[in-house]
Amino acid sequence: MRWTLKPKPHLEKVKHLQEALQVDETIATLLVQRGIETYDDAKAFFRPSLKHLHNPYLMKDMDKAVTRIEQAIANKENILVYGDYDVDGTTAVALMSTYLKTKHSLVYTYIPNRYDEGYGVSKKGINFALENDFTLIIALDCGIKAIEKVDYAKSLGIDFIICDHHRPGDKIPDAVAVLDPKREDCNYPFKELCGCGVGFKLIQALAEKDGETPEDLLPYLDLVATAVGADIVPINGENRVLAYFGLHVINTKPRPGIKAILDQVEKTELTITDVVFIIAPRINAAGRMEHGNFAVALLTDDDYDLAKKHAANIDNYNLERRATDKEITEAALEQIETLNEQDRLTTVVYDESWHKGVIGIVASRLTETYYRPTLVFTKSGETLAASARSVNGFDVYNALEACATYIEQFGGHKYAAGLTLKEENYKAFKQAFEDEVSKTIDRNLLIPEVKIDTQIDLEIITPKFYRILKQFAPYGPSNMTPVFMTENLKDTGYGKCVGADKTHLRLTATQNGSQSFVCIGFGMGDKYNLVSEGKAFHAVYSIDENEWNGNVSLQLKLRDIKS
């Protein structure tokens, strides 16, 4: 691993904040690194408020979207809430449909079938709207590139409102309203909302027209927090406010569907990390293994007993998803070795039998193994479909754009994207992608990096220090868990490899014979020799709590160690 120590912020700024907040220098340093330089910045950071949410009407086309929905309600039109089949899409559909149903009875939902229709707005979905007399479709977490589909709907007398957060292409669809903070002509102050977040801004605008406040919309924020965590958007600015209050709803009064999931795992106090690893995979599993409709049904159930049945089914899909992604990952790794492609700068693999619902997860697993931009392809109807994942610092979307000659359709983000291409173009695309990445990537980005906030001595770590650190949560991109480095540590003699297969490292570290801390390094059993026999070592770690037999103590969660 590359150890990268973040630059020290301006000392005067740190001292100023330290005095204003009456905290130690390390805490002030961590805050300034996060762009928090004044007492007011710190107050907003540590005490998020719904008053910090931006005016939704600052978003381009918001007034048009609200006017068209009000018109649909007044004219008793059928409204179809349409969304993607992943967590962001299904939570957005659940949010929008349940809110609109408080105003209007003629609201229905539509999630495209991953296998039959693919990602985004589909012709089949529009035809469904036509056959069932829908005159307005609200598309969530998709639609920003659906130029032809929106034109097709318009020719049939069906209007579109698009709520998306993906990068637009050169042209914006000719919809009644296109809400996307990433539009170049949109001056909305916060650009990093997820799809469900854009949907929330629309219901905030509608609520404002009816004299309601963001406080009235609190019950919807468990859905937004789930999408924020699952879609890995930056947890700063408006997203931090939405995630903070959404987590509070999840932990105090979750909707029946989320409660049913939590009851399965017997978890009480959830962090955003728990949302990502407990709630999100289960919601995702429905769309991956069966149909996203099951996720929407779970998230919109009013009846806990019914939600419990949906949650049980979805848990089974999740178990099936785990087994499938393990099997495909092993097959993909074998393919890379068989083709002797370990030395390439990209991973591109394909098998027509691989399950389309898990290729994104497999791409992530392969990226973890080889740490390079990765695409996993499978057969999807007449074409090949792929999920792309990238390494930190490299824009895979731009790399795909450079290979557009071979691609039928693509979309996504800097670090994750999806695409389709014709089978006869697969080999040419694979080589073009390798050439483009070879030409543009900084080779350092192919070595996993651990970013270190600051160097400290162990004596800094006290219960009070940790109490303040805990208030930095919720963590996520742009506000990651603080990572520290400490030099010249020694194991007190209790270091050993632990776990059923002895792959984890557990030791008790001390610095200059002062206070000691238990350290746990998951998957670091092979580094035991670096700490054995009293050898001095340096460590990179985060701080968390360990509970054992009712006793809670601070421990260091190792990220890496070096002699």
Side-chain angles (χ1 to χ4, degrees):
M1 276 187 135
R2 280 183 297 140
W3 291 18
T4 305
L5 190 60
K6 289 180 186 174
K8 283 192 173 180
H10 201 286
L11 190 59
E12 272 184 35
K13 288 180 179 177
V14 172
K15 291 291 181 195
H16 173 74
L17 192 62
Q18 191 181 351
E19 287 167 18
L21 300 181
Q22 293 297 293
V23 292
D24 68 32
E25 189 178 329
T26 302
I27 295 291
T29 298
L30 293 170
L31 289 169
V32 174
Q33 282 174 331
R34 285 158 170 73
I36 297 149
E37 298 182 0
T38 66
Y39 178 86
D40 288 340
D41 290 344
K43 187 180 176 186
F45 180 76
F46 286 119
R47 300 286 179 269
S49 166
L50 293 172
K51 292 190 177 90
H52 298 150
L53 294 177
H54 300 301
N55 179 346
Y57 287 95
L58 294 173
M59 196 176 291
K60 175 86 174 172
D61 281 2
M62 184 62 79
D63 52 343
K64 293 177 185 175
V66 169
T67 300
R68 182 64 184 89
I69 291 170
E70 287 179 332
Q71 179 191 326
I73 292 170
N75 294 339
K76 295 188 168 54
E77 295 176 55
N78 289 324
I79 301 175
L80 189 63
V81 180
Y82 186 114
D84 188 26
Y85 37 66
D86 69 0
V87 177
D88 195 12
T90 52
T91 53
V93 166
L95 173 137
M96 184 60 63
S97 62
T98 49
Y99 178 78
L100 288 179
K101 280 176 183 176
T102 66
K103 314 281 181 191
H104 186 54
S105 60
L106 305 174
V107 176
Y108 305 87
T109 62
Y110 189 96
I111 303 288
N113 185 303
R114 183 189 286 264
Y115 308 103
D116 165 20
E117 296 165 77
Y119 167 78
V121 177
S122 71
K123 202 166 182 181
K124 184 178 176 181
I126 295 168
N127 289 338
F128 172 86
L130 178 68
E131 288 157 16
N132 292 279
D133 197 29
F134 287 98
T135 46
L136 175 62
I137 298 175
I138 303 173
L140 295 135
D141 190 35
C142 61
I144 194 63
K145 287 191 167 182
I147 313 288
E148 291 169 11
K149 305 287 190 341
V150 170
D151 286 346
Y152 173 66
K154 198 171 182 180
S155 73
L156 302 173
I158 299 168
D159 286 339
F160 256 93
I161 292 171
I162 291 168
C163 301
D164 206 346
H165 69 122
H166 296 96
R167 285 196 220 174
D170 296 333
K171 194 178 169 192
I172 298 292
D174 186 20
V176 170
V178 179
L179 308 178
D180 187 336
K182 290 195 178 78
R183 282 180 66 164
E184 281 186 18
D185 57 351
C186 179
N187 296 320
Y188 192 71
F190 187 70
K191 300 290 182 186
E192 299 300 332
L193 291 167
C194 60
C196 188
V198 176
F200 179 80
K201 297 311 294 185
L202 177 50
I203 72 167
Q204 188 189 344
L206 288 162
E208 202 173 284
K209 273 291 193 81
D210 288 344
E212 295 170 322
T213 66
E215 282 78 10
D216 296 312
L217 301 177
L218 266 174
Y220 298 94
L221 290 184
D222 54 355
L223 294 170
V224 185
T226 301
V228 165
D231 228 50
I232 319 176
V233 289
I235 301 190
N236 59 7
E238 202 163 32
N239 280 343
R240 180 176 171 80
V241 176
L242 296 168
Y244 178 88
F245 285 99
L247 273 175
H248 181 70
V249 175
I250 288 170
N251 286 320
T252 56
K253 202 176 178 184
R255 65 191 51 238
I258 289 179
K259 185 179 188 312
I261 290 175
L262 300 183
D263 288 347
Q264 283 176 341
V265 293
E266 296 178 354
K267 190 89 181 170
T268 48
E269 189 74 16
L270 263 73
T271 64
I272 204 80
T273 305
D274 295 323
V275 169
V276 172
F277 289 103
I278 294 172
I279 298 177
R282 285 166 170 79
I283 294 172
N284 247 337
R288 290 186 189 284
M289 309 309 294
E290 197 60 40
H291 201 291
N293 283 336
F294 291 98
V296 173
L298 173 74
L299 296 171
T300 54
D301 279 337
D302 289 330
D303 183 300
Y304 175 73
D305 290 332
L306 195 57
K308 210 170 167 183
K309 286 176 187 171
H310 280 303
N313 289 335
I314 280 176
D315 195 42
N316 288 332
Y317 298 145
N318 194 42
L319 293 172
E320 186 188 343
R321 186 271 307 164
R322 277 173 160 166
T324 306
D325 95 57
K326 184 172 185 279
E327 183 187 315
I328 295 173
T329 300
E330 287 168 359
L333 289 167
E334 192 180 319
Q335 187 179 122
I336 292 163
E337 287 174 27
T338 303
L339 296 173
N340 200 24
E341 293 182 341
Q342 297 92 323
D343 297 329
R344 288 170 70 95
L345 299 189
T346 63
T347 296
V348 182
V349 289
Y350 162 59
D351 189 294
E352 65 176 20
S353 68
W354 287 344
H355 196 300
K356 191 179 174 188
V358 300
I359 56 173
I361 302 171
V362 173
S364 296
R365 303 250 191 267
L366 298 181
T367 307
E368 286 167 18
T369 305
Y370 287 105
Y371 209 72
R372 59 200 189 190
T374 298
L375 285 112
V376 178
F377 279 90
T378 189
K379 193 80 180 275
S380 178
E382 297 300 306
T383 60
L384 305 190
S387 274
R389 297 293 183 269
S390 193
V391 296
N392 193 32
F394 183 74
D395 194 326
V396 73
Y397 183 95
N398 285 347
L400 292 174
E401 206 161 34
C403 305
T405 311
Y406 305 102
I407 298 172
E408 294 295 296
Q409 206 176 357
F410 78 101
H413 308 283
K414 182 176 181 178
Y415 295 124
L419 67 145
T420 58
L421 50 77
K422 289 177 180 170
E423 190 162 7
E424 59 264 31
N425 287 335
Y426 171 73
K427 283 187 179 173
F429 167 80
K430 182 172 179 172
Q431 191 55 52
F433 186 65
E434 172 75 14
D435 294 344
E436 177 62 22
V437 172
S438 301
K439 193 170 65 184
T440 56
I441 199 166
D442 176 347
R443 298 301 195 268
N444 280 327
L445 298 181
L446 298 170
I447 304 165
E449 177 186 36
V450 57
K451 288 183 177 175
I452 302 156
D453 288 275
T454 188
Q455 184 175 339
I456 61 170
D457 291 330
L458 289 189
E459 64 187 22
I460 291 285
I461 304 169
T462 63
K464 182 186 175 184
F465 179 80
Y466 183 68
R467 275 197 305 275
I468 298 172
L469 272 195
K470 275 177 86 172
Q471 293 177 59
F472 279 51
Y475 296 119
S478 301
N479 182 42
M480 299 299 282
T481 305
V483 173
F484 304 102
M485 176 177 73
T486 300
E487 296 184 328
N488 297 317
L489 296 171
K490 284 190 178 179
D491 177 40
T492 57
Y494 297 99
K496 58 183 177 180
C497 296
V498 296
D501 46 5
K502 305 293 183 193
T503 53
H504 310 310
L505 178 63
R506 190 180 189 278
L507 58 96
T508 305
T510 185
Q511 187 183 35
N512 305 323
S514 62
Q515 65 174 329
S516 59
F517 289 93
V518 170
C519 305
I520 184 75
F522 294 106
M524 291 172 61
D526 59 344
K527 300 202 172 195
Y528 172 69
N529 65 309
L530 297 179
V531 305
S532 61
E533 300 170 358
K535 295 181 191 126
F537 64 94
H538 307 327
V540 175
Y541 57 88
S542 55
I543 306 166
D544 67 7
E545 288 176 315
N546 180 44
E547 191 172 338
W548 179 253
N549 285 343
N551 296 318
V552 179
S553 58
L554 296 181
Q555 70 174 6
L556 310 186
K557 194 173 176 183
L558 298 174
R559 303 289 180 98
D560 199 15
I561 52 176
K562 286 184 180 176
S563 59

